[in-house]
Amino acid sequence: MPSEHAEVQVRPGVEGDLDALTAIYNHYIRETAITFDTAVFSPEERRPWLLSHPEDGPHRLMVATDADSQRILGYATSSPYRPRPAYLTSVETSVYVAPDSLTGGAAGRRGIGTLLYGALFDALAGEDVHRAYAGIAQPNEASERLHARFGFRYVGTYHEVGRKFGRYWDVAWYEKRL
């Protein structure tokens, strides 16, 4: 890892991370249109999601932690793109960074999303995965820059595909060849 990122470690997610991962995701449910979930989850409700991301295979969960405190700073996942068998070599990826990491808190400006995606794509390198897809609710310039940095290219927009907070949201779709 580059020296400017030495204070952050990235590792596969484990069951002990569930409370912190749920808290991060619930922030995005309550405060943003980044996810189209509209009701917060308990850790028990999120357990099947966590268990669907083992340490090997195409569906991964990578977690960034503060090296000193071990506090979770964010996570990245690769998940099934669609349930039908012909889609098995495609994944949908996402990154969620702890909210204080975005506003200059303890993890501020340490490139958490970049570290997470780097580790995720390194882990996927030996898997039978042909394409990665990412849906980005609009507007979200930071996420668009992150995905471009990793070679994703824009492929289209679903207009007004989701309704949250009393309004409709567009989702721009990006793909990356693996």
Side-chain angles (χ1 to χ4, degrees), residues 17-32:
D17 300 330
L18 186 57
D19 288 348
L21 297 175
T22 301
I24 292 169
Y25 191 63
N26 283 341
H27 162 79
Y28 287 95
I29 292 171
R30 285 188 310 271
E31 304 293 329
T32 77

Side-chain angles (χ1 to χ4, degrees), residues 11 40 60 87 89 93 105 120 122 126 136 166 169:
R11 59 166 173 75
V40 298
R60 303 288 183 104
Y87 291 118
T89 61
T93 61
L120 178 65
D122 285 349
I136 303 173
W169 298 90

Side-chain angles (χ1 to χ4, degrees), residues 144-159:
E144 291 172 357
R145 284 192 305 271
L146 174 66
H147 286 84
R149 189 175 308 125
F150 280 90
F152 280 81
R153 67 178 187 84
Y154 172 78
V155 293
T157 297
Y158 293 171
H159 297 280

Side-chain angles (χ1 to χ4, degrees), residues 112-163:
I112 306 298
T114 299
L115 288 172
L116 284 164
Y117 252 10
L120 178 65
F121 291 119
D122 285 349
L124 292 176
E127 299 296 335
D128 183 23
V129 180
H130 182 64
R131 288 276 195 275
Y133 294 91
I136 303 173
Q138 298 297 294
N140 190 335
E141 290 180 26
S143 186
E144 291 172 357
R145 284 192 305 271
L146 174 66
H147 286 84
R149 189 175 308 125
F150 280 90
F152 280 81
R153 67 178 187 84
Y154 172 78
V155 293
T157 297
Y158 293 171
H159 297 280
E160 297 184 350
V161 68
R163 186 170 64 187

Side-chain angles (χ1 to χ4, degrees), residues 68-107:
D68 295 327
S69 69
Q70 293 304 298
R71 184 176 70 86
I72 294 180
L73 305 174
Y75 66 94
T77 61
S78 59
S79 300
Y81 174 68
R82 303 278 166 140
R84 292 182 176 88
Y87 291 118
L88 288 178
T89 61
S90 297
V91 294
E92 185 172 348
T93 61
S94 60
V95 175
Y96 290 91
V97 176
D100 65 340
S101 300
L102 298 171
T103 59

Side-chain angles (χ1 to χ4, degrees), residues 158-178:
Y158 293 171
H159 297 280
E160 297 184 350
V161 68
R163 186 170 64 187
K164 188 172 180 181
F165 304 135
R167 66 168 277 204
Y168 288 97
W169 298 90
D170 295 348
V171 174
W173 283 92
Y174 293 78
E175 73 176 356
K176 171 184 174 66
R177 183 181 178 136
L178 298 175

